[in-house]
């Protein structure tokens, strides 16, 4: 346990690529799941249907809440490799689940992308309409720098080296174009169902041409990013549990430290709002701890605050240095693969950590290429372009007050300065906050 470094992993990939099977297999082979759980969860998985491997494998252990499937934002599971404690963030694969994936990816250090290597299936997931590209863009835009690609179902192509290499040749340049450094992309052939090359390479045909690492070896060597310990504490909440905790009358919350340090006894401000809470207990990976640092996922037991003042998306901060609530800002955005271009006045949904709010792209400031402005005040932003835009929050459908979002510039705090922009259920752009206007 001690001395191991923490990493957060998100699993992405086209529906049916084998994400649930692979995670189930990995946890089972590591001894984290019993045979009984394996069987009952396989059954459960069929009943609940697709979507999330936490659903499929019953890993989030939240009982009733899991069945209702409403209050959960991100489910997390833990496992260990020889040198790493890994927090597995649940990334459901369905199109509708992308908002949940977004908040997962915002917390992840590394992405595991599962692709289906079987005939026609890799192609289906990679071409337009497939989720492989969108997932890669999303995780990279949200700051994930390293990606491990598991080319799954190799049993269905008789462990063909040619097939494997063709897929690597198609994917690698794409991942580089999506912003991953070539050295931060790793590929490996495997079969999740039979468990080949997950913990061990026990397939003779594969051994004859592949002597690279197994999945577990690869995860054990993932680079741990530098953590912003010195910046003010920011914990965007991904879960709030009311009253049902071991600590009587307590409130429990969970989330990941984007920056800073939290200690038992700290007084924290909950933004939005003016309320202050006391940190009574800290849990890291289900063990209690005296403190936690940037990069760790925590559960905090709080006192002195009514849970009514806490919600998914609330950010816990030091009382002296709270995050600002913003209604208008300038962002540099990268436009994804979309058909209708972005114009001034485009109504969108703004995603920031676990929050999503109605907003408008109120102004197109400029288009840039390779860091230099090529056009000022453009009329439209098209697919693949990078540009500066002004984004304004707006009242939701029911009218009322304009909402605000706890944001910082990316220069001040990388993780607090990233947003995603969606329209009609599609992610249209990712952005970095450059300037706060109001
Ligand atoms: P998800 O949607 O990405 O979570 O995919 P699932 O894990 O539900 O898997 C989709 C289908 O692929 C299921 O029918 C699995 O049994 C099957 N599958 C997963 N891994 C393998 C594999 O290594 N080999 C074969 N032949 N089938 C697999």
């Amino acid at each position: 346990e001690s001395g191991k470094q923490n990493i957060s992993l998100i699993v992405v990939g086209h529906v049916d690529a084998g994400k649930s099977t692979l995670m189930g297999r990995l946890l089972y082979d590591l001894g984290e799941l019993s045979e009984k759980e394996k069987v009952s969860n396989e059954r459960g998985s069929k009943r609940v249907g697709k979507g999330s491997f936490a659903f499929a494998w019953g890993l989030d252990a939240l009982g009733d809440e899991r069945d209702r499937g409403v209050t959960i934002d991100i489910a997390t599971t833990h496992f260990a490799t020889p040198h790493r404690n890994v927090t597995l963030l649940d990334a459901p694969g369905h199109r509708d689940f992308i908002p949940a994936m977004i908040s997962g990816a915002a917390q992840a250090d590394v992405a595991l992308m599962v692709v289906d290597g079987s005939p026609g299936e890799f192609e289906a997931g990679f071409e337009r309409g497939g989720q492989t590209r969108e997932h890669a863009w999303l995780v990279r835009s949200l700051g994930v720098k390293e990606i491990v690609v598991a080319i799954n179902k190799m049993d269905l192509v008789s462990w063909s080296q040619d097939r494997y290499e063709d897929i690597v040749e198609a994917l690698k340049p794409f991942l580089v174009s999506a912003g991953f450094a070539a050295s931060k992309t790793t590929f490996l052939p495997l079969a999740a169902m039979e468990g080949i090359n997950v913990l061990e390479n026990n397939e003779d045909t594969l051994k004859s041409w592949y002597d690279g690492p197994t999945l577990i070896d690869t995860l054990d060597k993932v680079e741990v990013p530098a953590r912003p310990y010195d910046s003010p504490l920011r914990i965007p909440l991904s879960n709030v549990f009311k009253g049902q905790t071991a600590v009587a009358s307590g409130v429990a919350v969970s989330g990941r430290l984007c920056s800073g340090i939290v200690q038992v006894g700290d007084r924290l401000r909950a933004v939005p709002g003016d309320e202050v809470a006391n940190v009574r207990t800290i849990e890291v990976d289900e063990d209690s701890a005296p403190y936690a640092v940037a990069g760790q996922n925590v559960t905090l037991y709080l006192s002195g605050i009514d849970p009514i003042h806490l919600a998914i998306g609330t950010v816990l901060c030091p009382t002296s240095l709270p995050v600002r609530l913003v209604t208008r800002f300038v962002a540099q955005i990268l436009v994804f693969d979309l058909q209708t271009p972005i114009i001034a006045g485009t109504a969108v949904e703004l995603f920031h950590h676990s929050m999503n709010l109605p907003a408008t792209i109120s102004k197109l400031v400029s288009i840039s290429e390779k860091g230099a402005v090529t056009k000022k005040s453009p009329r439209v932003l098209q697919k693949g372009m990078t540009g500066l835009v002004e984004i304004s929050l707006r009242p939701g459908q029911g009218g009322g007050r304009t909402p605000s979002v706890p944001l910082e510039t990316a220069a001040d705090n990388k993780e607090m300065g990233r947003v995603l922009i969606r329209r009609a259920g599609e992610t249209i752009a990712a952005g970095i906050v450059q300037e706060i206007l109001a």
Side-chain angles (χ1 to χ4, degrees):
E1 292 276 315
S2 58
K4 289 191 187 188
Q5 287 181 295
N6 296 289
I7 55 161
S8 297
L9 172 74
I10 188 161
V11 185
V12 300
H14 192 67
V15 63
D16 279 345
K19 298 176 292 294
S20 323
T21 310
L22 182 57
M23 286 306 100
R25 165 57 65 187
L26 182 73
L27 294 166
Y28 180 72
D29 287 357
L30 285 168
E32 304 273 348
L33 279 182
S34 67
E35 182 64 30
K36 209 172 120 215
E37 281 175 297
K38 181 170 173 256
V39 172
S40 79
N41 287 318
E42 271 168 3
R43 234 180 270 131
S45 153
K46 294 215 174 78
R47 186 167 45 84
V48 177
K50 292 252 149 278
S52 128
F53 61 75
F55 280 6
W57 290 82
L59 298 169
D60 50 349
L62 287 171
D64 285 352
E65 282 186 78
R66 187 181 85 223
D67 288 344
R68 277 186 277 121
V70 282
T71 54
I72 301 169
D73 185 47
I74 311 268
T76 59
T77 305
H78 305 281
F79 66 89
T81 67
H83 302 98
R84 302 276 182 269
N85 281 321
V86 182
T87 300
L88 188 56
L89 303 157
D90 188 0
H94 257 304
R95 215 160 239 298
D96 316 349
F97 285 104
I98 285 209
M101 192 189 118
I102 290 169
S103 38
Q107 301 175 35
D109 299 315
V110 56
L112 173 62
M113 167 167 275
V114 184
V115 302
D116 186 336
S118 60
E121 293 302 324
F122 164 70
E123 290 73 9
F126 190 56
E127 278 150 21
R128 212 193 134 77
Q131 293 149 348
T132 311
R133 287 169 196 264
E134 185 178 12
H135 288 186
W137 272 321
L138 279 179
V139 293
R140 184 62 200 95
S141 312
L142 288 161
V144 175
K145 293 205 173 83
E146 184 157 356
I147 189 161
V148 175
V149 183
I151 299 174
N152 188 29
K153 308 195 194 181
M154 286 297 291
D155 55 304
L156 296 180
V157 293
S158 314
W159 298 96
S160 157
Q161 180 175 7
D162 286 347
R163 175 66 174 163
Y164 171 76
E165 282 169 1
D166 284 349
I167 294 176
V168 174
E169 265 166 45
L171 270 179
K172 197 163 186 160
F174 163 71
L175 292 176
V176 169
S177 74
F180 291 96
S183 63
K184 295 282 182 194
T185 60
T186 310
F187 297 85
L188 62 160
L190 52 78
M193 190 106 98
E194 297 170 61
I196 294 163
N197 214 27
V198 178
L199 257 62
E200 270 178 78
N201 177 359
N202 44 354
E203 164 65 44
D204 288 335
T205 326
L206 177 57
K207 276 190 244 173
S208 71
W209 57 266
Y210 178 83
D211 64 356
T214 61
L215 177 60
I216 203 82
D217 295 336
T218 307
L219 295 178
D220 196 47
K221 293 200 186 75
V222 160
E223 200 177 308
V224 180
R227 309 286 189 196
Y229 303 120
D230 296 340
S231 307
L233 176 73
R234 302 289 184 247
I235 314 177
L237 301 182
S238 51
N239 263 316
V240 179
F241 317 84
K242 292 162 209 174
Q244 59 186 49
T245 68
V247 186
S249 77
V251 182
V253 296
S254 58
R256 177 178 192 261
L257 277 77
C258 290
S259 52
I261 296 174
V262 64
Q263 281 182 280
V264 170
D266 278 355
R267 283 166 57 75
L268 303 180
R269 164 109 173 254
V271 180
D274 302 315
E275 300 295 318
V276 172
N278 298 307
V279 179
R280 293 176 58 173
T281 318
I282 300 175
E283 272 178 18
V284 179
D285 294 351
E286 277 117 49
D287 291 325
S288 87
Y291 64 90
V293 300
Q296 287 184 313
N297 290 281
V298 293
T299 298
L300 302 179
Y301 294 90
L302 304 175
S303 64
I305 192 162
D306 189 316
I308 206 163
H309 301 299
L310 300 167
I312 288 176
T314 295
V315 182
L316 298 181
C317 312
T319 49
S320 57
L321 289 163
V323 60
R324 213 173 135 179
L325 282 170
V326 172
T327 55
R328 204 156 59 87
F329 60 96
V330 176
Q332 163 129 46
I333 66 168
L334 165 66
V335 182
F336 291 168
D337 204 1
L338 79 186
Q339 265 152 358
T340 320
I342 295 174
I343 54 171
T346 298
V348 296
E349 249 191 303
L350 180 75
F351 280 75
H352 179 64
H353 287 280
S354 299
M355 274 194 176
N356 64 74
L357 298 165
T360 305
I361 307 228
S362 37
K363 198 165 156 187
L364 307 187
V365 180
S366 61
I367 296 175
S368 50
E369 260 170 68
K370 299 189 174 95
V373 172
T374 52
K375 185 167 192 176
K376 286 199 170 158
S377 309
R379 239 169 26 81
V380 293
L381 277 177
Q382 313 255 23
K383 145 183 175 181
M385 287 180 172
T386 303
L388 281 187
V389 298
E390 205 177 284
I391 298 174
S392 307
L393 294 181
R394 62 180 160 84
Q397 300 211 312
R401 283 183 52 222
T402 300
S404 56
V405 57
L407 262 193
E408 285 170 281
T409 63
D412 283 344
N413 191 316
K414 241 192 198 157
E415 287 194 33
M416 293 300 294
R418 261 188 223 122
V419 293
L420 273 169
I421 298 158
R422 307 190 86 215
R423 176 178 61 189
E426 231 193 330
T427 311
I428 60 170
I432 304 281
V433 180
Q434 300 254 321
E435 191 187 345
I436 285 168
L437 301 173

